[in-house]
Each structure stands twice: as structure tokens, then as C-alpha cells.
Amino acid sequence: MLFDMRIFSFYTEPMDSTVLDIFIDAAKEVFTEIGFNSLDFREKREKGTNTEIIANVGITGDLQGYLMIQADLSSASNFVAKMLSNMDVEPEEEGFSRFHKEAIGEIVNQVSGRSVMNLSDREIDCNITPPTILTGSSMAYNVSNLDVSRWNDITGPFGTLSLFVGVKKIR
């Protein structure tokens, strides 16, 4: 069996951020599968400033950390509307509803599930927690205990979503 040593190098000090590429690639795959073929993924250095929704999944096992999608409500609502349109489904509710929250939660769940499958292919054993979806204004969170993390803005016809992934090694 062949191993990609760039991936396994994160088990040595300091932790290699290459493992984060697995999560970003999984996000690109999932977004493409739901009909978003021409999105712009750009790495950024800090968290979003107008966060009104956060969908979060915890990562457990050989790695511990978080995968989050965050956005303002307008971008999140436009994203869900475009996703439904891509699937030829008419929205049943007006405005930003419980359905919209759950749809964003399902996307972060799909991305994290795909990530864990891809990590498993590299013999990194992880699991995910159920998604947690928060809405509000001026939300803040502390992820300073992670070894490596990355923010990516995902921009498309809906606006901008931010994708955060951060992990620390356990074994």
C-alpha cells in the first residue's frame, strides 16, 4: 500500500497544514455535486465579520477540531435558494426559515462526512458530531486551541460563505 507522506507528516512537530486540504477538497466536491460548478474558493486570514449563521460539525478521533460554514443571512438564504433551483425544487417557505438553517447544516454535514471518508483513505480515523446550527448577530467563538486552521471564502452567485476548518492532532 502506498502512502502520501505529506499527509502523514502532520503527526510530527509542528503539525502540517496539508491535512486541511482534505477538508477544502471535500467541500469543493460537495458543492460541485449540488450544482455549484464555478465557485471561487479563496483562503483568508481571519474569520468573517458579518456572521449571522454558523453551521458547525465537530471532528473526533485521530484529529479533533471543527468544520464550520458561516455567512450573513442574505448569502445563506440565496445559497439555499440557488441550491434548490439547481435541483429543480421550488422553495415552500418565504424568507430565512428553519428549512434554510437545516439545509446549511446538511451541507456542513456532507462536507465533514466526505472529509472523514477521505481521511480514512489515508488511515486517519475520525468521526463527526451532528451539526449544530446557530443564528444571531455578533456571534463569536474561540478556536485558539487548534494546531492548524484555515478560513476560505466561497463566493458565487449567492454571495459569500466562509468555510473554517481547524484541527489538532491527538495521536
Side-chain angles (χ1 to χ4, degrees):
M1 179 180 283
L2 296 175
F3 296 105
D4 183 346
M5 294 312 291
R6 293 176 305 134
I7 300 300
F8 283 98
S9 66
F10 76 90
Y11 287 116
T12 62
E13 294 296 331
M15 188 169 176
D16 186 345
S17 65
T18 307
V19 72
L20 301 180
D21 294 337
I22 294 169
F23 292 89
I24 303 303
D25 291 343
K28 290 176 181 177
E29 292 170 12
V30 168
F31 279 85
T32 298
E33 288 172 5
I34 59 173
F36 293 95
N37 298 317
S38 59
L39 297 179
D40 181 30
F41 278 74
R42 279 195 196 201
E43 188 173 350
K44 64 180 192 170
R45 297 289 176 213
E46 72 278 344
K47 60 185 166 186
T49 56
N50 189 18
T51 300
E52 296 174 299
I53 182 168
I54 299 173
N56 173 55
V57 170
I59 302 159
T60 64
D62 291 344
L63 302 174
Q64 287 187 351
Y66 306 97
L67 179 75
M68 289 185 254
I69 292 177
Q70 66 178 34
D72 60 88
L73 291 183
S74 176
S75 292
S77 182
N78 292 338
F79 173 80
V80 173
K82 178 66 174 147
M83 180 179 68
L84 291 174
S85 174
N86 291 347
M87 297 186 294
D88 292 325
V89 175
E90 291 292 322
E92 295 181 11
E93 302 174 28
E94 294 291 320
F96 194 82
S97 66
R98 179 178 176 182
F99 173 80
H100 289 82
K101 290 181 199 177
E102 291 172 355
I104 299 292
E106 180 55 27
I107 296 304
V108 79
N109 192 48
Q110 287 183 24
V111 171
S112 59
R114 176 76 51 93
S115 300
V116 166
M117 287 182 354
N118 293 344
L119 288 167
S120 177
D121 291 344
R122 291 162 177 84
E123 298 189 14
I124 303 169
D125 184 30
C126 293
N127 289 303
I128 57 173
T129 66
T132 302
I133 302 105
L134 304 170
T135 58
S137 59
S138 303
M139 290 189 289
Y141 39 87
N142 182 352
V143 290
S144 62
N145 65 332
L146 303 171
D147 293 331
V148 292
S149 63
R150 184 177 304 157
W151 286 97
N152 277 79
D153 274 345
I154 307 166
T155 305
F158 50 83
T160 300
L161 305 176
S162 291
L163 176 71
F164 171 83
V165 60
V167 294
K168 64 181 178 179
K169 68 180 178 179
I170 299 304
R171 64 175 175 137

